[in-house]
mmCIF file of all heavy atoms in Angstrom:
data_model
loop_
_atom_site.group_PDB
_atom_site.id
_atom_site.type_symbol
_atom_site.label_atom_id
_atom_site.label_comp_id
_atom_site.label_asym_id
_atom_site.label_seq_id
_atom_site.Cartn_x
_atom_site.Cartn_y
_atom_site.Cartn_z
ATOM 1 N N ARG A 28 -26.154 60.495 -28.707
ATOM 2 C CA ARG A 28 -25.950 61.345 -29.853
ATOM 3 C C ARG A 28 -26.487 60.721 -31.132
ATOM 4 O O ARG A 28 -27.452 59.969 -31.067
ATOM 5 C CB ARG A 28 -24.467 61.713 -29.957
ATOM 6 C CG ARG A 28 -23.977 62.459 -28.709
ATOM 7 C CD ARG A 28 -22.733 63.273 -28.979
ATOM 8 N NE ARG A 28 -22.186 63.907 -27.766
ATOM 9 C CZ ARG A 28 -22.539 65.047 -27.270
ATOM 10 N NH1 ARG A 28 -23.429 65.776 -27.899
ATOM 11 N NH2 ARG A 28 -22.009 65.521 -26.167
ATOM 12 N N THR A 29 -25.980 61.071 -32.302
ATOM 13 C CA THR A 29 -26.591 60.685 -33.608
ATOM 14 C C THR A 29 -26.125 59.312 -34.026
ATOM 15 O O THR A 29 -25.230 58.704 -33.442
ATOM 16 C CB THR A 29 -26.161 61.711 -34.650
ATOM 17 O OG1 THR A 29 -24.717 61.575 -34.876
ATOM 18 C CG2 THR A 29 -26.487 63.134 -34.242
ATOM 19 N N LYS A 30 -26.802 58.812 -35.038
ATOM 20 C CA LYS A 30 -26.432 57.525 -35.659
ATOM 21 C C LYS A 30 -24.974 57.540 -36.179
ATOM 22 O O LYS A 30 -24.301 56.546 -36.047
ATOM 23 C CB LYS A 30 -27.426 57.168 -36.750
ATOM 24 C CG LYS A 30 -28.832 56.845 -36.281
ATOM 25 C CD LYS A 30 -29.744 56.466 -37.441
ATOM 26 C CE LYS A 30 -31.143 56.161 -36.961
ATOM 27 N NZ LYS A 30 -32.066 55.837 -38.060
ATOM 28 N N GLN A 31 -24.605 58.684 -36.745
ATOM 29 C CA GLN A 31 -23.240 58.765 -37.224
ATOM 30 C C GLN A 31 -22.239 58.631 -36.094
ATOM 31 O O GLN A 31 -21.155 58.026 -36.214
ATOM 32 C CB GLN A 31 -23.046 60.108 -37.958
ATOM 33 C CG GLN A 31 -23.810 60.233 -39.307
ATOM 34 C CD GLN A 31 -25.318 60.436 -39.119
ATOM 35 O OE1 GLN A 31 -25.733 60.887 -38.073
ATOM 36 N NE2 GLN A 31 -26.063 60.147 -40.169
ATOM 37 N N ASP A 32 -22.512 59.263 -34.979
ATOM 38 C CA ASP A 32 -21.642 59.152 -33.820
ATOM 39 C C ASP A 32 -21.602 57.713 -33.315
ATOM 40 O O ASP A 32 -20.526 57.187 -33.048
ATOM 41 C CB ASP A 32 -22.156 60.034 -32.678
ATOM 42 C CG ASP A 32 -21.943 61.518 -32.930
ATOM 43 O OD1 ASP A 32 -20.837 61.909 -33.359
ATOM 44 O OD2 ASP A 32 -22.917 62.291 -32.775
ATOM 45 N N SER A 33 -22.742 57.085 -33.248
ATOM 46 C CA SER A 33 -22.803 55.730 -32.744
ATOM 47 C C SER A 33 -21.971 54.782 -33.655
ATOM 48 O O SER A 33 -21.257 53.895 -33.162
ATOM 49 C CB SER A 33 -24.262 55.234 -32.710
ATOM 50 O OG SER A 33 -24.388 53.918 -32.193
ATOM 51 N N LYS A 34 -22.087 54.963 -34.952
ATOM 52 C CA LYS A 34 -21.324 54.108 -35.873
ATOM 53 C C LYS A 34 -19.853 54.335 -35.746
ATOM 54 O O LYS A 34 -19.050 53.408 -35.744
ATOM 55 C CB LYS A 34 -21.771 54.410 -37.335
ATOM 56 C CG LYS A 34 -23.142 53.855 -37.678
ATOM 57 C CD LYS A 34 -23.498 54.249 -39.137
ATOM 58 C CE LYS A 34 -24.886 53.713 -39.555
ATOM 59 N NZ LYS A 34 -25.237 54.127 -40.931
ATOM 60 N N ALA A 35 -19.428 55.600 -35.551
ATOM 61 C CA ALA A 35 -18.023 55.899 -35.365
ATOM 62 C C ALA A 35 -17.462 55.359 -34.084
ATOM 63 O O ALA A 35 -16.330 54.861 -33.987
ATOM 64 C CB ALA A 35 -17.846 57.418 -35.387
ATOM 65 N N LEU A 36 -18.289 55.341 -33.024
ATOM 66 C CA LEU A 36 -17.913 54.798 -31.741
ATOM 67 C C LEU A 36 -17.725 53.264 -31.860
ATOM 68 O O LEU A 36 -16.731 52.684 -31.342
ATOM 69 C CB LEU A 36 -18.961 55.085 -30.661
ATOM 70 C CG LEU A 36 -19.073 56.561 -30.291
ATOM 71 C CD1 LEU A 36 -20.340 56.782 -29.472
ATOM 72 C CD2 LEU A 36 -17.837 57.047 -29.462
ATOM 73 N N SER A 37 -18.652 52.610 -32.539
ATOM 74 C CA SER A 37 -18.552 51.155 -32.735
ATOM 75 C C SER A 37 -17.298 50.808 -33.550
ATOM 76 O O SER A 37 -16.565 49.862 -33.211
ATOM 77 C CB SER A 37 -19.788 50.623 -33.477
ATOM 78 O OG SER A 37 -20.936 50.774 -32.661
ATOM 79 N N LYS A 38 -17.058 51.540 -34.608
ATOM 80 C CA LYS A 38 -15.860 51.318 -35.431
ATOM 81 C C LYS A 38 -14.559 51.540 -34.611
ATOM 82 O O LYS A 38 -13.640 50.762 -34.664
ATOM 83 C CB LYS A 38 -15.883 52.233 -36.657
ATOM 84 C CG LYS A 38 -14.695 51.995 -37.580
ATOM 85 C CD LYS A 38 -14.818 52.901 -38.820
ATOM 86 C CE LYS A 38 -13.577 52.718 -39.736
ATOM 87 N NZ LYS A 38 -13.651 53.665 -40.897
ATOM 88 N N GLY A 39 -14.554 52.641 -33.829
ATOM 89 C CA GLY A 39 -13.420 52.951 -33.022
ATOM 90 C C GLY A 39 -13.118 51.927 -31.988
ATOM 91 O O GLY A 39 -11.956 51.613 -31.636
ATOM 92 N N LEU A 40 -14.211 51.334 -31.476
ATOM 93 C CA LEU A 40 -14.010 50.235 -30.473
ATOM 94 C C LEU A 40 -13.402 48.983 -31.043
ATOM 95 O O LEU A 40 -12.494 48.383 -30.524
ATOM 96 C CB LEU A 40 -15.423 49.944 -29.853
ATOM 97 C CG LEU A 40 -15.519 49.072 -28.591
ATOM 98 C CD1 LEU A 40 -14.676 49.680 -27.454
ATOM 99 C CD2 LEU A 40 -16.978 48.961 -28.179
ATOM 100 N N LEU A 41 -13.897 48.592 -32.234
ATOM 101 C CA LEU A 41 -13.367 47.401 -32.914
ATOM 102 C C LEU A 41 -11.939 47.596 -33.334
ATOM 103 O O LEU A 41 -11.130 46.651 -33.320
ATOM 104 C CB LEU A 41 -14.256 47.044 -34.072
ATOM 105 C CG LEU A 41 -15.660 46.437 -33.793
ATOM 106 C CD1 LEU A 41 -16.358 46.162 -35.073
ATOM 107 C CD2 LEU A 41 -15.480 45.115 -32.980
ATOM 108 N N GLU A 42 -11.621 48.839 -33.761
ATOM 109 C CA GLU A 42 -10.270 49.054 -34.273
ATOM 110 C C GLU A 42 -9.268 49.310 -33.126
ATOM 111 O O GLU A 42 -8.073 49.311 -33.385
ATOM 112 C CB GLU A 42 -10.295 50.296 -35.198
ATOM 113 C CG GLU A 42 -11.040 50.054 -36.504
ATOM 114 C CD GLU A 42 -11.105 51.261 -37.408
ATOM 115 O OE1 GLU A 42 -10.800 52.366 -36.894
ATOM 116 O OE2 GLU A 42 -11.432 51.110 -38.555
ATOM 117 N N GLY A 43 -9.746 49.540 -31.909
ATOM 118 C CA GLY A 43 -8.861 49.718 -30.781
ATOM 119 C C GLY A 43 -8.563 51.147 -30.424
ATOM 120 O O GLY A 43 -7.834 51.407 -29.453
ATOM 121 N N THR A 44 -9.085 52.096 -31.213
ATOM 122 C CA THR A 44 -8.919 53.540 -30.810
ATOM 123 C C THR A 44 -9.596 53.752 -29.470
ATOM 124 O O THR A 44 -9.041 54.396 -28.560
ATOM 125 C CB THR A 44 -9.537 54.443 -31.828
ATOM 126 O OG1 THR A 44 -8.871 54.254 -33.099
ATOM 127 C CG2 THR A 44 -9.376 55.923 -31.422
ATOM 128 N N ILE A 45 -10.795 53.196 -29.314
ATOM 129 C CA ILE A 45 -11.504 53.191 -28.010
ATOM 130 C C ILE A 45 -11.032 51.893 -27.317
ATOM 131 O O ILE A 45 -11.201 50.814 -27.868
ATOM 132 C CB ILE A 45 -13.017 53.252 -28.169
ATOM 133 C CG1 ILE A 45 -13.425 54.525 -28.906
ATOM 134 C CG2 ILE A 45 -13.719 53.186 -26.773
ATOM 135 C CD1 ILE A 45 -14.903 54.620 -29.229
ATOM 136 N N ASP A 46 -10.525 52.040 -26.151
ATOM 137 C CA ASP A 46 -9.867 50.900 -25.509
ATOM 138 C C ASP A 46 -10.841 49.833 -24.958
ATOM 139 O O ASP A 46 -10.562 48.665 -25.008
ATOM 140 C CB ASP A 46 -8.959 51.369 -24.410
ATOM 141 C CG ASP A 46 -7.849 52.271 -24.926
ATOM 142 O OD1 ASP A 46 -8.079 53.493 -25.071
ATOM 143 O OD2 ASP A 46 -6.773 51.752 -25.245
ATOM 144 N N PHE A 47 -11.950 50.310 -24.343
ATOM 145 C CA PHE A 47 -12.925 49.371 -23.839
ATOM 146 C C PHE A 47 -14.277 49.986 -23.744
ATOM 147 O O PHE A 47 -14.435 51.224 -23.698
ATOM 148 C CB PHE A 47 -12.490 48.768 -22.484
ATOM 149 C CG PHE A 47 -11.496 49.606 -21.774
ATOM 150 C CD1 PHE A 47 -11.885 50.740 -21.007
ATOM 151 C CD2 PHE A 47 -10.159 49.292 -21.742
ATOM 152 C CE1 PHE A 47 -10.969 51.493 -20.314
ATOM 153 C CE2 PHE A 47 -9.226 50.048 -21.079
ATOM 154 C CZ PHE A 47 -9.610 51.137 -20.372
ATOM 155 N N ASP A 48 -15.328 49.112 -23.685
ATOM 156 C CA ASP A 48 -16.677 49.574 -23.437
ATOM 157 C C ASP A 48 -16.964 49.410 -21.968
ATOM 158 O O ASP A 48 -16.207 48.804 -21.219
ATOM 159 C CB ASP A 48 -17.676 48.741 -24.272
ATOM 160 C CG ASP A 48 -17.500 47.253 -24.070
ATOM 161 O OD1 ASP A 48 -17.279 46.824 -22.903
ATOM 162 O OD2 ASP A 48 -17.580 46.505 -25.032
ATOM 163 N N THR A 49 -18.058 49.961 -21.520
ATOM 164 C CA THR A 49 -18.476 49.891 -20.113
ATOM 165 C C THR A 49 -19.980 49.980 -20.041
ATOM 166 O O THR A 49 -20.631 50.576 -20.884
ATOM 167 C CB THR A 49 -17.849 51.005 -19.292
ATOM 168 O OG1 THR A 49 -18.391 50.992 -17.996
ATOM 169 C CG2 THR A 49 -18.103 52.351 -19.889
ATOM 170 N N SER A 50 -20.536 49.388 -18.999
ATOM 171 C CA SER A 50 -21.985 49.589 -18.739
ATOM 172 C C SER A 50 -22.285 50.975 -18.267
ATOM 173 O O SER A 50 -23.415 51.455 -18.438
ATOM 174 C CB SER A 50 -22.458 48.563 -17.698
ATOM 175 O OG SER A 50 -21.946 48.902 -16.404
ATOM 176 N N ASP A 51 -21.309 51.671 -17.707
ATOM 177 C CA ASP A 51 -21.504 52.997 -17.061
ATOM 178 C C ASP A 51 -22.739 52.894 -16.152
ATOM 179 O O ASP A 51 -23.617 53.760 -16.189
ATOM 180 C CB ASP A 51 -21.662 54.106 -18.097
ATOM 181 C CG ASP A 51 -21.327 55.460 -17.517
ATOM 182 O OD1 ASP A 51 -20.578 55.557 -16.526
ATOM 183 O OD2 ASP A 51 -21.851 56.505 -18.011
ATOM 184 N N ASN A 52 -22.756 51.866 -15.348
ATOM 185 C CA ASN A 52 -23.905 51.545 -14.486
ATOM 186 C C ASN A 52 -24.147 52.556 -13.390
ATOM 187 O O ASN A 52 -23.254 52.774 -12.549
ATOM 188 C CB ASN A 52 -23.656 50.138 -13.902
ATOM 189 C CG ASN A 52 -24.852 49.657 -13.111
ATOM 190 O OD1 ASN A 52 -25.811 49.152 -13.650
ATOM 191 N ND2 ASN A 52 -24.774 49.726 -11.781
ATOM 192 N N ILE A 53 -25.256 53.272 -13.417
ATOM 193 C CA ILE A 53 -25.556 54.260 -12.385
ATOM 194 C C ILE A 53 -26.964 54.015 -11.851
ATOM 195 O O ILE A 53 -27.963 54.410 -12.437
ATOM 196 C CB ILE A 53 -25.467 55.695 -12.952
ATOM 197 C CG1 ILE A 53 -24.085 55.962 -13.560
ATOM 198 C CG2 ILE A 53 -25.809 56.734 -11.885
ATOM 199 C CD1 ILE A 53 -23.934 57.336 -14.231
ATOM 200 N N PRO A 54 -27.076 53.298 -10.719
ATOM 201 C CA PRO A 54 -28.391 53.076 -10.137
ATOM 202 C C PRO A 54 -28.955 54.402 -9.499
ATOM 203 O O PRO A 54 -28.183 55.129 -8.852
ATOM 204 C CB PRO A 54 -28.154 52.059 -9.049
ATOM 205 C CG PRO A 54 -26.697 52.163 -8.705
ATOM 206 C CD PRO A 54 -26.019 52.661 -9.956
ATOM 207 N N LEU A 55 -30.206 54.648 -9.684
ATOM 208 C CA LEU A 55 -30.853 55.844 -9.138
ATOM 209 C C LEU A 55 -32.267 55.479 -8.625
ATOM 210 O O LEU A 55 -32.928 54.645 -9.210
ATOM 211 C CB LEU A 55 -31.030 56.956 -10.218
ATOM 212 C CG LEU A 55 -29.766 57.530 -10.800
ATOM 213 C CD1 LEU A 55 -30.036 58.406 -11.984
ATOM 214 C CD2 LEU A 55 -28.961 58.334 -9.730
ATOM 215 N N ASP A 56 -32.633 56.119 -7.534
ATOM 216 C CA ASP A 56 -33.995 55.945 -6.994
ATOM 217 C C ASP A 56 -34.979 56.387 -8.130
ATOM 218 O O ASP A 56 -34.738 57.417 -8.785
ATOM 219 C CB ASP A 56 -34.198 56.799 -5.783
ATOM 220 C CG ASP A 56 -35.504 56.543 -5.117
ATOM 221 O OD1 ASP A 56 -36.551 56.815 -5.739
ATOM 222 O OD2 ASP A 56 -35.513 56.075 -3.944
ATOM 223 N N ILE A 57 -35.964 55.590 -8.348
ATOM 224 C CA ILE A 57 -36.896 55.883 -9.414
ATOM 225 C C ILE A 57 -37.540 57.291 -9.353
ATOM 226 O O ILE A 57 -37.879 57.909 -10.365
ATOM 227 C CB ILE A 57 -37.996 54.770 -9.591
ATOM 228 C CG1 ILE A 57 -38.643 54.806 -10.978
ATOM 229 C CG2 ILE A 57 -39.036 54.933 -8.479
ATOM 230 C CD1 ILE A 57 -37.705 54.432 -12.099
ATOM 231 N N GLU A 58 -37.656 57.778 -8.117
ATOM 232 C CA GLU A 58 -38.204 59.118 -7.943
ATOM 233 C C GLU A 58 -37.279 60.183 -8.511
ATOM 234 O O GLU A 58 -37.749 61.314 -8.788
ATOM 235 C CB GLU A 58 -38.534 59.371 -6.458
ATOM 236 C CG GLU A 58 -39.565 58.458 -5.859
ATOM 237 C CD GLU A 58 -40.883 58.457 -6.603
ATOM 238 O OE1 GLU A 58 -41.284 59.585 -7.051
ATOM 239 O OE2 GLU A 58 -41.521 57.449 -6.776
ATOM 240 N N GLU A 59 -36.019 59.847 -8.633
ATOM 241 C CA GLU A 59 -35.044 60.820 -9.206
ATOM 242 C C GLU A 59 -35.146 60.845 -10.725
ATOM 243 O O GLU A 59 -34.548 61.710 -11.384
ATOM 244 C CB GLU A 59 -33.597 60.407 -8.794
ATOM 245 C CG GLU A 59 -33.427 60.545 -7.283
ATOM 246 C CD GLU A 59 -32.126 59.950 -6.772
ATOM 247 O OE1 GLU A 59 -31.790 58.816 -7.215
ATOM 248 O OE2 GLU A 59 -31.465 60.573 -5.961
ATOM 249 N N LYS A 60 -35.933 59.935 -11.279
ATOM 250 C CA LYS A 60 -36.205 59.921 -12.727
ATOM 251 C C LYS A 60 -37.650 60.436 -13.021
ATOM 252 O O LYS A 60 -37.925 60.843 -14.151
ATOM 253 C CB LYS A 60 -36.046 58.495 -13.280
ATOM 254 C CG LYS A 60 -34.604 58.054 -13.470
ATOM 255 C CD LYS A 60 -33.933 58.805 -14.589
ATOM 256 C CE LYS A 60 -32.603 58.238 -14.954
ATOM 257 N NZ LYS A 60 -31.962 58.955 -16.087
ATOM 258 N N ARG A 61 -38.520 60.332 -12.047
ATOM 259 C CA ARG A 61 -39.935 60.759 -12.284
ATOM 260 C C ARG A 61 -40.083 62.250 -12.059
ATOM 261 O O ARG A 61 -40.850 62.723 -11.221
ATOM 262 C CB ARG A 61 -40.852 59.995 -11.334
ATOM 263 C CG ARG A 61 -40.978 58.494 -11.697
ATOM 264 C CD ARG A 61 -41.791 57.743 -10.715
ATOM 265 N NE ARG A 61 -41.986 56.326 -11.078
ATOM 266 C CZ ARG A 61 -42.373 55.394 -10.293
ATOM 267 N NH1 ARG A 61 -42.645 55.692 -9.016
ATOM 268 N NH2 ARG A 61 -42.497 54.149 -10.748
ATOM 269 N N LEU A 62 -39.322 62.983 -12.863
ATOM 270 C CA LEU A 62 -39.303 64.458 -12.818
ATOM 271 C C LEU A 62 -39.350 64.979 -14.230
ATOM 272 O O LEU A 62 -39.218 64.229 -15.221
ATOM 273 C CB LEU A 62 -38.027 64.928 -12.091
ATOM 274 C CG LEU A 62 -37.821 64.505 -10.626
ATOM 275 C CD1 LEU A 62 -36.409 64.855 -10.194
ATOM 276 C CD2 LEU A 62 -38.867 65.195 -9.717
ATOM 277 N N GLU A 63 -39.535 66.291 -14.375
ATOM 278 C CA GLU A 63 -39.395 66.897 -15.669
ATOM 279 C C GLU A 63 -37.970 66.604 -16.232
ATOM 280 O O GLU A 63 -37.042 66.491 -15.443
ATOM 281 C CB GLU A 63 -39.659 68.406 -15.604
ATOM 282 C CG GLU A 63 -41.069 68.778 -15.223
ATOM 283 C CD GLU A 63 -41.256 70.267 -15.163
ATOM 284 O OE1 GLU A 63 -40.248 70.986 -15.329
ATOM 285 O OE2 GLU A 63 -42.336 70.744 -14.858
ATOM 286 N N PHE A 64 -37.885 66.516 -17.537
ATOM 287 C CA PHE A 64 -36.610 66.118 -18.139
ATOM 288 C C PHE A 64 -35.450 66.980 -17.669
ATOM 289 O O PHE A 64 -34.341 66.449 -17.386
ATOM 290 C CB PHE A 64 -36.739 66.206 -19.676
ATOM 291 C CG PHE A 64 -35.761 65.270 -20.372
ATOM 292 C CD1 PHE A 64 -36.136 63.981 -20.787
ATOM 293 C CD2 PHE A 64 -34.479 65.679 -20.593
ATOM 294 C CE1 PHE A 64 -35.232 63.139 -21.427
ATOM 295 C CE2 PHE A 64 -33.556 64.848 -21.244
ATOM 296 C CZ PHE A 64 -33.962 63.555 -21.643
ATOM 297 N N ASP A 65 -35.675 68.281 -17.531
ATOM 298 C CA ASP A 65 -34.617 69.194 -17.120
ATOM 299 C C ASP A 65 -34.080 68.873 -15.709
ATOM 300 O O ASP A 65 -32.948 69.094 -15.412
ATOM 301 C CB ASP A 65 -35.103 70.629 -17.139
ATOM 302 C CG ASP A 65 -35.182 71.197 -18.540
ATOM 303 O OD1 ASP A 65 -34.728 70.522 -19.494
ATOM 304 O OD2 ASP A 65 -35.742 72.288 -18.728
ATOM 305 N N HIS A 66 -34.962 68.321 -14.860
ATOM 306 C CA HIS A 66 -34.621 68.118 -13.463
ATOM 307 C C HIS A 66 -34.319 66.722 -13.085
ATOM 308 O O HIS A 66 -33.743 66.483 -11.997
ATOM 309 C CB HIS A 66 -35.751 68.643 -12.580
ATOM 310 C CG HIS A 66 -36.129 70.080 -12.789
ATOM 311 N ND1 HIS A 66 -35.263 71.081 -12.462
ATOM 312 C CD2 HIS A 66 -37.238 70.694 -13.322
ATOM 313 C CE1 HIS A 66 -35.803 72.257 -12.781
ATOM 314 N NE2 HIS A 66 -36.984 72.054 -13.312
ATOM 315 N N ALA A 67 -34.612 65.745 -13.934
ATOM 316 C CA ALA A 67 -34.283 64.324 -13.658
ATOM 317 C C ALA A 67 -32.781 64.137 -13.676
ATOM 318 O O ALA A 67 -32.053 64.799 -14.379
ATOM 319 C CB ALA A 67 -34.958 63.415 -14.664
ATOM 320 N N LEU A 68 -32.321 63.205 -12.842
ATOM 321 C CA LEU A 68 -30.921 62.926 -12.766
ATOM 322 C C LEU A 68 -30.504 62.043 -14.002
ATOM 323 O O LEU A 68 -31.319 61.335 -14.582
ATOM 324 C CB LEU A 68 -30.520 62.163 -11.499
ATOM 325 C CG LEU A 68 -30.707 62.905 -10.180
ATOM 326 C CD1 LEU A 68 -30.124 62.082 -9.010
ATOM 327 C CD2 LEU A 68 -29.961 64.293 -10.231
ATOM 328 N N SER A 69 -29.214 62.225 -14.386
ATOM 329 C CA SER A 69 -28.680 61.452 -15.546
ATOM 330 C C SER A 69 -28.165 60.101 -15.013
ATOM 331 O O SER A 69 -27.560 60.039 -13.961
ATOM 332 C CB SER A 69 -27.547 62.253 -16.176
ATOM 333 O OG SER A 69 -28.012 63.434 -16.797
ATOM 334 N N GLY A 70 -28.408 59.057 -15.845
ATOM 335 C CA GLY A 70 -27.828 57.767 -15.551
ATOM 336 C C GLY A 70 -28.769 56.633 -15.751
ATOM 337 O O GLY A 70 -29.997 56.784 -15.730
ATOM 338 N N THR A 71 -28.222 55.467 -16.104
ATOM 339 C CA THR A 71 -29.016 54.300 -16.331
ATOM 340 C C THR A 71 -28.312 53.042 -15.796
ATOM 341 O O THR A 71 -27.054 53.048 -15.689
ATOM 342 C CB THR A 71 -29.273 54.073 -17.860
ATOM 343 O OG1 THR A 71 -30.079 52.866 -18.065
ATOM 344 C CG2 THR A 71 -27.953 53.887 -18.607
ATOM 345 N N LEU A 72 -29.064 52.029 -15.408
ATOM 346 C CA LEU A 72 -28.487 50.745 -15.099
ATOM 347 C C LEU A 72 -27.953 50.176 -16.422
ATOM 348 O O LEU A 72 -28.457 50.494 -17.513
ATOM 349 C CB LEU A 72 -29.498 49.790 -14.551
ATOM 350 C CG LEU A 72 -30.133 50.159 -13.186
ATOM 351 C CD1 LEU A 72 -31.203 49.126 -12.788
ATOM 352 C CD2 LEU A 72 -29.025 50.251 -12.112
ATOM 353 N N GLY A 73 -26.967 49.298 -16.336
ATOM 354 C CA GLY A 73 -26.409 48.718 -17.598
ATOM 355 C C GLY A 73 -25.774 47.405 -17.482
ATOM 356 O O GLY A 73 -25.535 46.713 -18.473
ATOM 357 N N MET A 74 -25.404 46.960 -16.263
ATOM 358 C CA MET A 74 -24.670 45.698 -16.125
ATOM 359 C C MET A 74 -25.499 44.497 -16.611
ATOM 360 O O MET A 74 -24.987 43.633 -17.328
ATOM 361 C CB MET A 74 -24.216 45.508 -14.696
ATOM 362 C CG MET A 74 -23.069 46.405 -14.233
ATOM 363 S SD MET A 74 -22.280 45.873 -12.711
ATOM 364 C CE MET A 74 -23.650 46.059 -11.558
ATOM 365 N N GLU A 75 -26.764 44.415 -16.193
ATOM 366 C CA GLU A 75 -27.525 43.207 -16.449
ATOM 367 C C GLU A 75 -27.921 43.089 -17.940
ATOM 368 O O GLU A 75 -28.208 42.000 -18.401
ATOM 369 C CB GLU A 75 -28.776 43.218 -15.566
ATOM 370 C CG GLU A 75 -28.424 42.982 -14.084
ATOM 371 C CD GLU A 75 -29.512 43.489 -13.145
ATOM 372 O OE1 GLU A 75 -29.802 44.675 -13.169
ATOM 373 O OE2 GLU A 75 -29.994 42.692 -12.375
#
């Protein structure tokens, strides 16, 4: 989302309103990303 959203999320995380962050790690076969934007699957690696 927007920069304003990102700043609010960071602030909420530090203040404890947001309890924890996560990598939301979602591995996907690269062919599931090599599609038109509308048809590609959602998700990104994040742990590393």
Side-chain angles (χ1 to χ4, degrees):
R28 298 202 186 272
T29 66
K30 290 180 181 178
Q31 291 75 20
D32 289 312
S33 181
K34 287 179 181 178
L36 293 167
S37 295
K38 183 180 179 183
L40 193 55
L41 287 178
E42 292 178 346
T44 299
I45 301 175
D46 298 86
F47 20 80
D48 54 41
T49 173
S50 70
D51 202 27
N52 185 78
I53 303 177
L55 295 170
D56 188 296
I57 199 65
E58 297 304 322
E59 295 169 316
K60 283 290 189 179
R61 289 175 177 163
L62 299 168
E63 293 179 359
F64 205 95
D65 285 351
H66 301 294
L68 294 186
S69 295
T71 181
L72 297 177
M74 287 193 296
E75 290 159 301

